[in-house]
Amino acid sequence: MKIKWFKGGSDLFQTTQRRLTMQYSGLLMLFLVLFIVVVYTLLYIVILRDQHRELENLTRQETRIISSYLAESARNELQGLGSQELVLAGADQFFYYVTDTDGNFVMGSETMRHMREELFELVSGWVPEQNEIREETIRLTFDERRIGGREIDEAPKSDTVRLMIDGSPIFYNNQFVGMIYIGKDISFAYQLFQWLLIVLVSLMVLFAGVAVFMSYMMSKKAMGPISTAFHRQKEFVGDASHELRTPLSVMLSSIDAMEMTDGVEEDPFAQKLLRNMKSEVKRMTGLVSDLLVLARADSGVVERVIDEINVRVEAGNVIESLTPYAESNGISLYLDAPDELIVPGDRARLKQLMYILLDNAVKYSLEGGRVEMILSKNDRHWTMKVSDEGIGIDAADQSRIFDRFFRSDKSRTRTVGGHGLGLSIAKWITSIHGGTITVESEIGKGSTFTVQIPNEQAASI
Ligand code: ADP
């Protein structure tokens, strides 16, 4: 005989705490992500708008310079401007080009001279709408960067250059004389956005950890008082059940003694009263012992006594003890099992499990019904099926019948005794053996309860 320990009880609290932690951290994370998205978007908009404004100012300023030069030199065309150093290089200015009315190049300059063709191609023929600013990305080859670097000091630092391009018409004496295009290098802004994103994402990862930790602490704090109250209540149920057992058994033996007392034996009314008292005391004893089993189950660690048992023999004994009760209700019990079915398990508890399922099958059968227990075994587990042809269980109730104090179809179940604890105990006994219990049922046709338990019993489950 081996003694094993079963740990249980606090499952509900752990699951609830885990769920709370997940919900809290989900919420905190959502706020975090929202915060980061808002900050990033705001910065993006503010920085780009700032660049826009700078570029517009630059274009306006340079258009003015060219117009005033034309006025000073009393010329009405841009040709020949090439020799004049009119346009000043603004900060981050990548290129500027001035074209005549036909879009031909008049003058210009760029950070990387050998790229003039490519850059001029970008703006040639472009007539911007009011306040229209274009953004372009150009990719530089290694050679382009190197040559550019040698020629001028400010070669771009990366292979990709982001340009913001503005264009403006030039007028002289209200006459259109040409266009000016200015390209501004805004790569640094995008690099800034990239860095910002990296920093924000890193911060988010860091804060996500903090959020999970905080959520865990918060959920622990929230669960604390509930858990304590629940444990106190369970202790109380356990203690009360224990304390009630003794007076109940004293009452039962007193009733037995009273029944045999002279005078009472001959008085049919007194006999009837005592019979009623006895049945109620027995009912209460049943309830108290069910509560005690569940209180022990909840208490955390439960002792399991594992033996090699012949389930066929145990099932035979349970059926034998239930036969008079079944027969008195006109119900027949059958057992279908191999001659020997040896499995490891806690004898007393497995017998209790069989008793609960058979007792229910009889209780919820109609007169003349048939209740059958089938036992079988394969390489991995053994199975016990208890079927009846009784009232059946509503599909909506099938997932709830294993809950404590749940009783389906109140009108029918009220007439048969019970407190709705039997199947909770059955489920617990199955679970401490590492098994499962399921039900298949149809109203009016009957129910089949299937218990499946592994052949190997783990040291602790
Ligand atoms: P009790 O039988 O004491 O009410 P149980 O926990 O054993 O409590 O069962 C819970 C409920 O499940 C019962 O009230 C009954 O409605 C339903 N039930 C259980 N077994 C059967 C069955 N074999 N046939 C029909 N209904 C059943």
Side-chain angles (χ1 to χ4, degrees):
M1 184 198 288
K2 279 180 272 174
I3 294 184
K4 295 182 176 179
W5 300 88
F6 176 78
K7 266 208 207 123
S10 52
D11 248 22
L12 178 72
F13 287 97
Q14 272 169 4
T15 329
T16 317
Q17 191 178 335
R18 216 172 301 134
R19 205 174 302 146
L20 269 181
T21 308
M22 263 152 57
Q23 280 171 356
Y24 285 152
S25 22
L27 212 65
L28 285 175
M29 239 99 104
L30 188 76
F31 279 119
L32 214 63
V33 171
L34 268 178
F35 175 75
I36 283 172
V37 169
V38 169
V39 167
Y40 188 80
T41 319
L42 276 179
L43 282 174
Y44 190 90
I45 294 171
V46 166
I47 292 175
L48 280 190
R49 190 171 290 169
D50 197 49
Q51 293 299 311
H52 259 223
R53 214 175 311 119
E54 252 181 46
L55 182 59
E56 272 171 358
N57 287 342
L58 193 67
T59 318
R60 220 174 294 136
Q61 195 184 342
E62 298 194 353
T63 314
R64 243 192 334 259
I65 294 174
I66 294 178
S67 300
S68 59
Y69 172 77
L70 288 174
E72 265 171 37
S73 54
R75 303 167 59 128
N76 61 356
E77 58 163 30
L78 291 167
Q79 288 301 339
L81 264 183
S83 55
Q84 309 296 328
E85 273 303 318
L86 291 174
V87 180
L88 304 163
D92 300 316
Q93 181 176 306
F94 200 70
F95 68 80
Y96 86 86
Y97 296 123
V98 177
T99 61
D100 61 15
T101 44
D102 299 326
N104 299 317
F105 178 85
V106 174
M107 68 171 189
S109 144
E110 53 282 287
T111 319
M112 304 173 84
R113 193 136 302 159
H114 60 285
M115 290 190 70
R116 172 165 295 179
E117 217 173 295
E118 195 182 327
L119 293 170
F120 188 67
E121 187 73 7
L122 280 178
V123 294
S124 150
W126 176 45
V127 183
E129 313 256 305
Q130 180 99 26
N131 293 334
E132 184 189 351
I133 281 187
R134 263 167 64 187
E135 271 191 39
E136 298 285 344
T137 305
I138 53 167
R139 285 178 208 290
L140 307 178
T141 59
F142 177 71
D143 277 350
E144 280 170 339
R145 279 182 64 195
R146 211 176 39 153
I147 296 165
R150 215 185 286 149
E151 284 183 347
I152 37 114
D153 293 338
E154 289 172 16
K157 292 183 184 54
S158 84
D159 293 344
T160 312
V161 180
R162 299 270 197 158
L163 292 177
M164 197 179 252
I165 308 170
D166 190 14
S168 161
I170 307 166
F171 290 99
Y172 175 65
N173 277 347
N174 288 333
Q175 199 186 330
F176 173 63
V177 288
M179 294 285 296
I180 178 166
Y181 299 104
I182 296 179
K184 187 172 167 39
D185 183 359
I186 53 160
S187 310
F188 78 95
Y190 281 92
Q191 261 154 24
L192 188 77
F193 294 145
Q194 256 172 24
W195 275 110
L196 198 68
L197 198 65
I198 292 172
V199 170
L200 287 175
V201 168
S202 319
L203 276 178
M204 198 180 92
V205 171
L206 189 79
F207 281 117
V210 177
V212 171
F213 177 73
M214 269 169 57
S215 315
Y216 174 75
M217 295 312 280
M218 279 186 334
S219 59
K220 205 169 165 183
K221 213 164 181 178
M223 291 304 293
I226 306 171
S227 166
T228 316
F230 184 71
H231 281 110
R232 260 198 219 128
Q233 186 221 330
K234 276 193 312 196
E235 261 171 37
F236 168 74
V237 173
D239 292 348
S241 319
H242 192 75
E243 294 302 319
L244 281 170
R245 257 152 59 118
T246 321
L248 281 174
S249 61
V250 172
M251 275 166 82
L252 207 59
S253 40
S254 309
I255 294 169
D256 279 341
M258 275 166 81
E259 273 180 332
M260 285 180 271
T261 318
D262 289 347
V264 174
E265 252 178 334
E266 285 96 53
D267 183 348
F269 182 66
Q271 282 285 347
K272 191 172 167 241
L273 287 183
L274 284 176
R275 256 202 316 277
N276 286 349
M277 271 172 80
K278 199 167 165 178
S279 105
E280 285 306 306
V281 169
K282 272 189 176 159
R283 220 165 71 83
M284 213 193 274
T285 312
L287 171 63
V288 163
S289 71
D290 280 358
L291 281 175
L292 199 58
V293 170
L294 288 171
R296 284 207 189 115
D298 286 338
S299 70
V301 181
V302 170
E303 187 185 321
R304 275 192 311 161
V305 185
I306 301 295
D307 269 334
E308 290 291 312
I309 55 173
N310 189 344
V311 219
R312 193 211 153 96
V313 174
E314 304 304 334
N317 290 342
V318 174
I319 286 183
E320 207 177 290
S321 74
L322 273 171
T323 303
Y325 163 59
E327 276 173 357
S328 68
N329 287 289
I331 291 150
S332 34
L333 296 176
Y334 296 91
L335 174 64
D336 176 356
D339 287 342
E340 221 182 44
L341 206 157
I342 312 280
V343 293
D346 186 319
R347 188 189 310 271
R349 293 207 166 110
L350 286 179
K351 273 178 85 170
Q352 192 177 5
L353 171 67
M354 291 173 189
Y355 190 89
I356 292 169
L357 295 183
L358 285 170
D359 182 54
N360 274 353
V362 173
K363 258 192 326 198
Y364 301 111
S365 278
L366 306 172
E367 204 177 336
R370 173 191 162 92
V371 169
E372 189 174 25
M373 177 183 264
I374 305 173
L375 299 173
S376 60
K377 185 181 177 185
N378 68 17
D379 293 345
R380 282 189 290 142
H381 43 243
W382 63 276
T383 307
M384 170 165 74
K385 273 182 193 285
V386 177
S387 320
D388 63 61
E389 303 164 340
I391 58 168
I393 305 161
D394 194 54
D397 289 343
Q398 285 175 21
S399 58
R400 302 177 59 201
I401 50 171
F402 298 99
D403 293 348
R404 290 180 195 183
F405 295 108
F406 180 81
R407 306 198 74 204
S408 169
D409 184 7
K410 301 284 184 286
S411 56
R412 166 82 177 103
T413 45
R414 213 180 307 126
T415 53
V416 284
H419 313 279
L421 290 177
L423 287 180
S424 323
I425 297 178
K427 190 176 173 192
W428 173 71
I429 295 175
T430 316
S431 75
I432 61 169
H433 284 86
T436 53
I437 181 166
T438 50
V439 63
E440 279 169 77
S441 183
E442 208 178 316
I443 285 280
K445 293 220 167 131
S447 317
T448 300
F449 283 84
T450 307
V451 172
Q452 212 167 55
I453 293 179
N455 295 333
E456 297 292 325
Q457 287 296 299
S460 78
I461 298 162

